[in-house]
Amino acid sequence: MFPVSRIDGGNDSLLDLIFPRLPVRSLTRFKSVSKQWCALISNAQFGRRHTVENPSSRIPSGLYLYRPVCYRDNTVHSISVDELGRKIPSFSDPVELPDNAPIKLRLPEKNIMRMVQSCNGLSLFRFNAVYAHNFHCVRNLVTNQLKLVPVPKLNAENYGYVANCCLAFEPLVSPHFKVICVQVVICPSRRRLVSKFLKFSSETGQWVDTSVSVVGTGLEFARGEYCNGAVYLIRVNRLSCYRFDIDAAKLTQIALPPQARGSHFRHFGESCGHLYLAGVRDNTAKILNVYELDLVNMKWKIKHWVHIDRLISSFPQVIVNGGNQMCHSTQSMLGVFRGERDEDSALIANVLGTVVSYNFKRKKVEVLLSELQWKDDIRSISAGPPFVPAYPLIASLHPL
């Protein structure tokens, strides 16, 4: 290995070759080596280049867990989900808003910010404070950069609410991020409900109405996930899935597998450019099917299956309290994570407050978080798990 003094002596071309291949965690530490290294790593152009050239930077490295809103404790817990056990950055440090921000407050104060989406190294937060309810922000948790995103306004003759906001960030295409907002608009004059899709771009700083809408009942979307240039949404009734093409502003419907519809739906999420859906046949099923969307044919196909008994075999208290009932709650399935290799893919689940990883290939259960057990809150499985929802983290140096 070269001494730091030799590498730091002005050979910028050598640093340019080495640094883009290093993980984010190492680069954040190297910023304290010298002013030259700090300047190079902090450069916006380098941040974009590193995100593009380093494939490992787009693999989930961590998971943020929130307790349900009904609990008084709003603590955010972070855990590592990769084999290297990389340190997960925290967002508990104070952040100053820009001087030109439309609101004046210091972040994060208690219960001020809550993550609602994570995408390719950026995270979308909303402000919980009453006086700041009209704003979201996009934040890079590694560099601690932040930009405000105002919620679009409704026309005076209509009224409604924001049903879902999704973050779309394509580091291989553009340095800018986009936010897709779904509004449920109530039109009194026409006596109907309309879900409208709007697009915000950091390049223009403006919201654009895409003129795409869905008319009818059951218009709320339970969750939206960005994947390869489109946002995929599942309705609250869990009977249909929609694909919204961001650039073409086109909305199409995708049929869900029969075993993943309605009450049989357990999880919906994206990982490393792949979209996953989990479901069971019925409430007595012993097998949890994990589907992957074929992005060419737009059809769901079974990718993995989980023997529920194997997943919970290490937790006798679960069997005593009702066996596989823990897999019959959407709150128990925290995510499907895809590794660098297909055999590294795993299901992240919550078993009575213990967060575990279940490797699809090796059929192995690994405990990720076991110290947080709330006996007063969890008297039975029906009381619900303490963690919901969960958001994956992909560490990135990409600037905002």
Side-chain angles (χ1 to χ4, degrees):
M1 176 179 287
F2 289 103
V4 172
S5 58
R6 289 186 60 186
I7 301 179
D8 197 26
N11 195 345
D12 291 340
S13 60
L14 182 60
L15 295 178
D16 288 338
L17 293 175
I18 297 175
F19 279 2
R21 293 170 170 79
L22 299 179
V24 172
R25 180 186 178 187
S26 299
L27 292 173
T28 54
R29 293 170 56 192
F30 291 165
K31 291 174 68 175
S32 60
V33 172
S34 68
K35 292 182 179 180
Q36 179 193 5
W37 286 27
C38 182
L40 176 60
I41 298 172
S42 302
N43 183 270
Q45 186 175 359
F46 171 79
R48 286 192 289 268
R49 179 186 170 193
H50 180 271
T51 303
V52 172
E53 295 185 6
N54 194 335
S56 63
S57 66
R58 295 187 293 278
I59 297 175
S61 57
L63 187 71
Y64 288 112
L65 304 171
Y66 283 91
R67 299 198 70 191
V69 178
C70 59
Y71 291 97
R72 294 182 179 179
D73 179 14
N74 197 34
T75 304
V76 181
H77 300 278
S78 61
I79 57 176
S80 175
V81 297
D82 65 8
E83 296 180 352
L84 300 179
R86 297 167 181 162
K87 183 179 179 182
I88 308 304
S90 171
F91 52 87
S92 59
D93 301 326
V95 175
E96 289 287 352
L97 289 180
D99 293 335
N100 59 348
I103 53 176
K104 301 296 181 182
L105 56 99
R106 188 177 177 85
L107 297 178
E109 300 171 5
K110 186 177 180 181
N111 298 340
I112 288 294
M113 287 202 306
R114 189 176 179 91
M115 188 184 295
V116 295
Q117 190 79 19
S118 181
C119 176
N120 288 335
L122 298 182
S123 299
L124 180 67
F125 288 83
R126 75 164 180 266
F127 295 134
N128 287 348
V130 176
Y131 48 85
H133 70 281
N134 285 330
F135 293 92
H136 287 73
C137 72
V138 174
R139 186 175 178 187
N140 186 323
L141 294 173
V142 175
T143 63
N144 223 11
Q145 292 179 305
L146 176 148
K147 278 193 176 182
L148 294 177
V149 178
V151 173
K153 298 180 180 180
L154 293 168
N155 296 330
E157 57 186 39
N158 300 328
Y159 60 93
Y161 52 92
V162 175
N164 202 302
C165 275
C166 303
L167 177 64
F169 172 54
E170 300 175 277
L172 298 177
V173 179
S174 169
H176 305 285
F177 66 84
K178 301 180 181 70
V179 176
I180 305 301
C181 174
V182 182
Q183 283 186 332
V184 177
V185 182
I186 304 172
C187 305
S189 58
R190 301 181 182 180
R191 296 182 180 179
R192 65 176 184 175
L193 299 177
V194 179
S195 282
K196 299 181 62 178
F197 289 77
L198 301 98
K199 178 171 62 177
F200 174 89
S201 172
S202 63
E203 185 174 14
T204 63
Q206 301 292 327
W207 284 97
V208 177
D209 192 333
T210 64
S211 300
V212 174
S213 62
V214 183
V215 181
T217 58
L219 293 171
E220 279 197 75
F221 292 95
R223 183 158 183 166
E225 290 289 333
Y226 169 79
C227 182
N228 295 334
V231 171
Y232 297 82
L233 304 108
I234 287 188
R235 280 188 169 181
V236 171
N237 57 20
R238 300 166 188 163
L239 295 177
S240 58
C241 175
Y242 286 85
R243 179 184 187 273
F244 177 73
D245 188 300
I246 298 177
D247 292 331
K250 181 180 179 181
L251 186 69
T252 55
Q253 187 171 354
I254 302 173
L256 291 179
Q259 294 184 6
R261 296 177 184 173
S263 61
H264 303 156
F265 168 87
R266 294 295 173 265
H267 171 73
F268 174 66
E270 183 272 347
S271 182
C272 299
H274 297 261
L275 203 63
Y276 295 101
L277 183 71
V280 294
R281 185 185 69 253
D282 54 45
N283 289 340
T284 62
K286 297 291 185 178
I287 300 295
L288 177 74
N289 293 320
V290 178
Y291 301 86
E292 181 177 340
L293 181 64
D294 186 331
L295 298 177
V296 177
N297 300 321
M298 290 299 157
K299 293 183 178 180
W300 295 96
K301 298 181 179 179
I302 293 181
K303 179 68 174 180
H304 308 285
W305 54 87
V306 179
H307 293 271
I308 298 176
D309 289 339
R310 292 184 183 178
L311 179 60
I312 66 175
S313 60
S314 302
F315 304 90
Q317 69 272 29
V318 178
I319 301 175
V320 172
N321 284 283
N324 64 359
Q325 291 182 20
M326 60 78 57
C327 282
H328 295 297
S329 167
T330 56
Q331 298 175 353
S332 296
M333 303 294 107
L334 300 180
V336 175
F337 282 179
R338 185 182 181 94
E340 287 190 74
R341 302 170 300 174
D342 194 40
E343 53 264 33
D344 294 331
S345 299
L347 172 74
I348 310 298
N350 169 31
V351 184
L352 289 183
T354 299
V355 181
V356 300
S357 171
Y358 178 84
N359 184 279
F360 295 118
K361 185 73 173 181
R362 297 191 293 266
K363 313 297 182 185
K364 181 182 178 181
V365 178
E366 178 186 359
V367 175
L368 300 177
L369 183 64
S370 61
E371 300 178 355
L372 301 177
Q373 301 283 346
W374 292 277
K375 297 180 180 179
D376 295 336
D377 295 332
I378 310 174
R379 302 182 185 277
S380 65
I381 294 178
S382 60
F387 290 126
V388 55
Y391 300 99
L393 170 73
I394 298 176
S396 171
L397 293 174
H398 201 288
L400 284 175

